[in-house]
Every structure is written in structure tokens, then in C-alpha cells.
Amino acid sequence: MTQESSNKNLAARRCKFSDYFYNGVTAAGVILTIVFFVIEAVLFGIDFFSGGANFYLGILTYVFLPPFLIIGLILIPLGALGKRLRIQKGQLDGVLRPLVFDPTVPTHRNAAIVFLSGSTILLVMTIVGAYKAFHYTESVHFCGIVCHEVMKPEHTAYMNSSHARVKCVECHIGPGANWYVRSKMSGLRQVYRTAANNFDRPIPTPVHNLRPSKETCEQCHWPAKFFGAQQKVYTHYLADETNSPWEVQMLIKVGGGDPSKGAAMGIHWHMNIENTIDYIATDDKRTVIPWVRSTDPHGTVTEYMSTENPITPEKVATSEVRRMDCIDCHNRPSHVFHPPDRELDQSFIIGRLDVSLPYLKQKSIELLNASYTNEHEAEQAILTGLSDYYQKSYPEIVREKGAAIQQATQELIRIYKNNYFPEMKVDWRTHPNHIGHMISDGCFRCHDGMHKSKDGKVISNDCNACHTFIAQGPPDEVAKTPSMAQEFRHPVDVGIDVTEEKCTTCHAAQ
């Protein structure tokens, strides 16, 4: 035996593993695995002891880094197999050994120990990581904050809604593996479009991809419950010099649609328990409804056609007929962008705006509805706009109520940031809310008095069909007047009979 062969045999005996594992690819895999294993272990610890407070840490730990660890583990055997293949082809010097495991050979035992230990650790990390990744991708913060620019409008509205403690996935996905897989496949497409910066502005409402409300909304809400009528009190402030308050009290006839729980009447008469309502919409937002079909409990079918926007029988035959459910009215249950008129009313009520500042509401609406290219520009315009207005028109007010003007300015900025998102081309006018009929047609999509059947029946536009006014006027006047059913009284004389017009004719711009 030559000295060179003796040295090779001695080096081989000193190796902890098969000499197949001593190559550049395997070494790179080992380094990659060790580095990312240490990083993952540290991040696991940080996430565990912080209680998952850092949401970007979560996506880094459970979504982005694990693939690199897996790549490193794959490179280790690939490098070994590649080296053996090169030896077999004669491209590399070495001894070709059969691929067998012999526990009596130290290098085989070492490799087995490392493999079993590493596999156990990886299995544990994979189970924990998969569990954490699943729950993290189901979290509100993943849906609303990770893609901050894209989902900022919807997440902001959601956090200010009555569903702020309901996870996004409970409405947008719901129970069941089928919808979960579909959502993740859709999510991959959305991630790609976000990374490529080719997403829509504004993001369209996914009305065509939502599950039926029976599978989501009705998991919490009980559609069979009979609600009867509920009294609502609304306090509005007019856009005049004194920001005059005007109170409206009404009974909202919520009713119900299940005769076993109460009379089938009121707004919830439309629910698909006692009655079946089908319709055809000719636009993606379902704001134009020219055809409606009603089926009563006895099976009697009545079709109504709009006399304003009729469609042909051929179009009816080829159009999608949708069964009406909760979402057709409650289409923005968690993502409502409020008009400045209503937001300002609420701010007056809770004292964030000083009602004694002249024309505060009028000027505020002007500032909020002005066109801005970005949020920073809007903030600067509001900061200077309100103070400049009072400095020019009411300098004595500035001296007396400077603090109130400053507070009003900050309140307008808050309202703007909650309802206007110029970078995403979103504001309260972007997504119509079908509840009511003040700033979008809502109920009037069908209840406009112009949907008629062949035998002359008309879908009513009578205000009293859904609500009854029981008090109207300045609050001090309302307090002295007994509540009773009455006709609607507009707070401002606009020179026309407002009951003959849609509310949106004027209020859609406020």
C-alpha cells in the first residue's frame, strides 16, 4: 500500500459521515440549514414569549423562512447523490460504494443519528409552524395589515364596524375545507398581483364570490327571529350658520319572515323563509334591478318589470337570476364608508365638534369632499382650510374659540382618514350601501313605484311600508310634542315635494 493510499484510508476513518457528503452542494445545504434553523429557533422563541404581538414577525417566521430551511435540507442528500453519480461516471476520483445502511459502520450510524434527530426536530417545527401559519393566515391582521396599502380602506372600515371582533375569514370563507382551499388559491393570485403592483384601485367588492348568507351570516344571526318594530332616534345638524339640530324619530318595521315566530311582515318579509324573492341585476354592483319575481307561500308567482329601465323577455331568459338573501340589503355589513354628513352629525352629538362654530358643518363637508391626490395633501388642506376660513370670515371667533377650531380640525382629519383613501381611489361614494335609501338607491332599487306586474300590481314606494315617522323637528320641539304617526317633514324647504323624489337626488352628494 502506498503512502498516498494509506493517508486516504486514514482520512476516511476520521470522517464522521460517508465521503459522499463531503462536497460543495452538501456543505452549502448544511450551512443554509444551520443558519435558518438558528434564525427560526430564535424567532420561535421571540414569538412565543411576545404572545404573537408582532404580526410581521409571524409571517416571517411561519411563511417566508421555512422554505429556506427545507431547501437547505434537500441540498444535503442531493449533493451526496450528485457526488456518487459523478464517481460512477468517472468524472471524479473516489470509491463507489453500494447505497446500503450498515449499522456496524460508524459513518452510517452517524448519518442515521443526524437524520433521525434532524427529522424529529424538523417534524416538530413543521407541525408547530404549520399550526401557527394556519392560524396566522386566518387572522385579521394578516388579512388587513400585511398588505397594508391594498387592504387599508377595508381594514379601517372593518375596525370601526360592529363586526370588528369577528374574523374576516368567518364571513369571507366560513366553515369547510372546500371554501378554505378556494380562498387560499385565490390568495395566491392576490399575493402575486400585490407583488406585481397591478391590483385594482379601488378593490372591487367580491359580491359574486361570497358564500350564501345561510352558510356565513346565519351561523350567528337568527333569521327566523321576529323583531317587530324598533324605535330609532336620529339627530341631524343642518348646514346653516348655527348648525341647527333636527331630530327624527321613527319606528323601523323590521318584522320577520317566519310565520311560526310572528307575522310575516316588515323589512324581513323579504327573507327566504316565508317568501321567495328573485331578481335580475344589470350591473356588477347590483344597483340596477329591472326585473323582480315574488313567490308567496301558496306558490303564486308575480313578476315585476321596471317601467323606467325595462329589459326584454330574451334578456330575462339569458340573465342570471339571483335568489335574494341578507347580503342583498346588508351588502356592507363590516366595510361601511360613511358620508361626511353622518360622520359630522355623530361628532356633534358626542361633543367632538363645537356646534357654536358658525357654518362648521357646511365648511367641513366642503373640505372633506374636496379632491386630493393623497392622504398627506388632504391633511394639510384640512389643517389650513378650517382655520383660514374662520380667520377670514370670523376673526372674533378665532380669538374666542381657537381651541375649539383646533379640535374641530383634528376631528375632520380623523373622519377623513376613516372614510377617504385617495391612493386607493376609495371613499364613501365608491361602494354603495344598500341599507336604507338616503345616499344610495338601496331600497329604491325595487321600491321605486315603477316596478309593475302585467296585472297592474306595483312594488310600493310608500315610506310607511318599512318605517313610520313618529316625531320630527328641533329637539326642544320634539320633546314637547307627543309621538304619533305623521308624514315626513323635510327640515329645509327645497321648493318641491321631496316625497316624489329619491333621497339620492340631493343626499348622494353629501
Side-chain angles (χ1 to χ4, degrees):
M1 181 181 294
T2 64
Q3 182 64 36
E4 181 179 355
S5 298
S6 178
N7 291 339
K8 287 182 177 180
N9 290 335
L10 180 62
R13 287 196 296 271
R14 290 177 177 174
C15 291
K16 299 292 185 182
F17 307 100
S18 171
D19 59 351
Y20 290 153
F21 288 94
Y22 294 91
N23 62 82
V25 175
T26 297
V30 170
I31 294 172
L32 197 64
T33 300
I34 293 174
V35 169
F36 280 97
F37 174 79
V38 172
I39 294 174
E40 281 282 87
V42 172
L43 294 181
F44 260 72
I46 294 174
D47 185 59
F48 178 79
F49 289 107
S50 67
N54 190 320
F55 307 107
Y56 291 103
L57 177 64
I59 194 171
L60 180 67
T61 306
Y62 305 116
V63 178
F64 288 131
L65 292 185
F68 292 98
L69 179 62
I70 294 172
I71 290 172
L73 291 170
I74 293 173
L75 288 177
I76 295 174
L78 281 182
L81 291 173
K83 183 176 181 179
R84 185 181 188 280
L85 184 61
R86 290 197 300 274
I87 293 174
Q88 186 178 13
K89 291 182 178 180
Q91 299 173 353
L92 191 66
D93 293 335
V95 179
L96 187 65
R97 297 184 178 87
L99 294 176
V100 295
F101 172 69
D102 186 351
T104 63
V105 178
T107 56
H108 289 195
R109 290 199 305 271
N110 292 337
I113 291 171
V114 171
F115 173 77
L116 291 174
S117 301
S119 297
T120 302
I121 294 172
L122 178 62
L123 179 62
V124 172
M125 292 182 66
T126 300
I127 293 173
V128 174
Y131 174 81
K132 296 283 286 186
F134 169 79
H135 283 282
Y136 182 70
T137 56
E138 296 282 283
S139 69
V140 170
H141 298 88
F142 178 80
C143 298
I145 294 179
V146 172
C147 298
H148 181 68
E149 179 188 359
V150 180
M151 296 308 299
K152 181 181 178 181
E154 303 295 347
H155 181 258
T156 301
Y158 160 82
M159 292 303 294
N160 291 314
S161 78
S162 58
H163 288 89
R165 290 178 179 257
V166 179
K167 289 184 179 180
C168 308
V169 295
E170 293 187 29
C171 295
H172 288 273
I173 300 176
N178 180 37
W179 280 87
Y180 175 79
V181 172
R182 289 173 60 176
S183 72
K184 296 310 172 189
M185 296 301 295
S186 175
L188 291 175
R189 175 180 56 82
Q190 294 166 13
V191 168
Y192 165 75
R193 296 194 65 180
T194 300
N197 194 31
N198 68 346
F199 51 85
D200 295 326
R201 296 174 177 83
I203 299 294
T205 302
V207 292
H208 300 285
N209 300 321
L210 291 175
R211 295 182 72 168
S213 61
K214 287 182 177 293
E215 300 173 13
T216 52
C217 309
E218 294 181 18
Q219 299 300 306
C220 297
H221 299 278
W222 187 28
K225 180 176 176 58
F226 181 78
F227 289 92
Q230 298 183 348
Q231 183 176 354
K232 293 288 185 179
V233 179
Y234 301 94
T235 301
H236 304 284
Y237 290 81
L238 308 184
D240 57 13
E241 184 174 17
T242 59
N243 307 297
S244 306
W246 183 272
E247 188 174 298
V248 176
Q249 296 184 18
M250 63 174 71
L251 292 177
I252 307 295
K253 301 175 183 178
V254 181
D258 187 348
S260 66
K261 300 294 186 295
M265 56 171 287
I267 299 167
H268 282 179
W269 174 90
H270 298 83
M271 292 189 306
N272 302 329
I273 299 171
E274 172 68 2
N275 306 281
T276 300
I277 307 296
D278 301 296
Y279 71 88
I280 293 174
T282 55
D283 67 322
D284 288 337
K285 293 185 177 182
R286 298 173 180 164
T287 57
V288 180
I289 299 178
W291 180 90
V292 179
R293 180 176 63 205
S294 171
T295 306
D296 69 16
H298 305 292
T300 304
V301 177
T302 306
E303 293 186 6
Y304 300 89
M305 182 73 73
S306 171
T307 57
E308 184 180 37
N309 297 302
I311 58 175
T312 63
E314 293 76 18
K315 184 70 173 178
V316 171
T318 57
S319 296
E320 177 189 2
V321 178
R322 174 174 167 78
R323 176 68 50 82
M324 185 177 183
D325 67 9
C326 307
I327 295 299
D328 289 296
C329 292
H330 299 271
N331 67 311
R332 305 293 297 179
S334 301
H335 305 283
V336 179
F337 302 102
H338 298 284
D341 179 57
R342 293 187 180 180
E343 285 281 81
L344 293 167
D345 285 343
Q346 185 63 22
S347 296
F348 278 122
I349 291 170
I350 61 180
R352 290 180 176 173
L353 294 177
D354 189 340
V355 72
S356 67
L357 293 176
Y359 289 110
L360 177 57
K361 187 169 187 180
Q362 182 184 96
K363 187 61 181 178
S364 296
I365 291 176
E366 292 176 8
L367 288 170
L368 291 170
N369 276 343
S371 178
Y372 306 108
T373 57
N374 55 61
E375 186 177 290
H376 176 72
E377 179 187 333
E379 185 173 349
Q380 294 304 308
I382 294 171
L383 277 172
T384 58
L386 200 61
S387 60
D388 288 351
Y389 168 74
Y390 283 111
Q391 190 67 53
K392 179 180 178 180
S393 303
Y394 298 92
E396 71 284 355
I397 294 293
V398 176
R399 291 190 296 269
E400 297 173 5
K401 293 184 172 291
I405 295 173
Q406 179 62 29
Q407 180 177 332
T409 298
Q410 295 303 316
E411 179 65 5
L412 294 190
I413 293 174
R414 184 194 68 82
I415 291 173
Y416 187 90
K417 289 183 176 181
N418 282 342
N419 298 284
Y420 296 80
F421 306 87
E423 291 89 344
M424 286 298 297
K425 300 181 180 179
V426 172
D427 62 27
W428 59 276
R429 293 161 288 201
T430 308
H431 301 295
N433 184 6
H434 299 325
I435 288 291
H437 49 76
M438 183 72 75
I439 60 172
S440 66
D441 281 348
C443 310
F444 286 160
R445 292 174 298 161
C446 303
H447 290 270
D448 57 358
M450 291 185 286
H451 284 69
K452 296 183 179 180
S453 67
K454 291 181 179 179
D455 58 359
K457 294 181 180 178
V458 179
I459 299 179
S460 174
N461 64 345
D462 181 9
C463 297
N464 291 314
C466 295
H467 51 68
T468 298
F469 293 98
I470 58 175
Q472 303 168 83
D476 54 351
E477 176 187 320
V478 169
K480 300 174 184 178
T481 305
S483 298
M484 63 182 68
Q486 55 193 265
E487 295 298 320
F488 174 70
R489 180 158 56 106
H490 199 278
V492 178
D493 184 5
V494 293
I496 60 172
D497 182 0
V498 294
T499 61
E500 298 296 325
E501 299 288 338
K502 292 183 179 180
C503 302
T504 52
T505 303
C506 299
H507 290 277
Q510 297 181 20

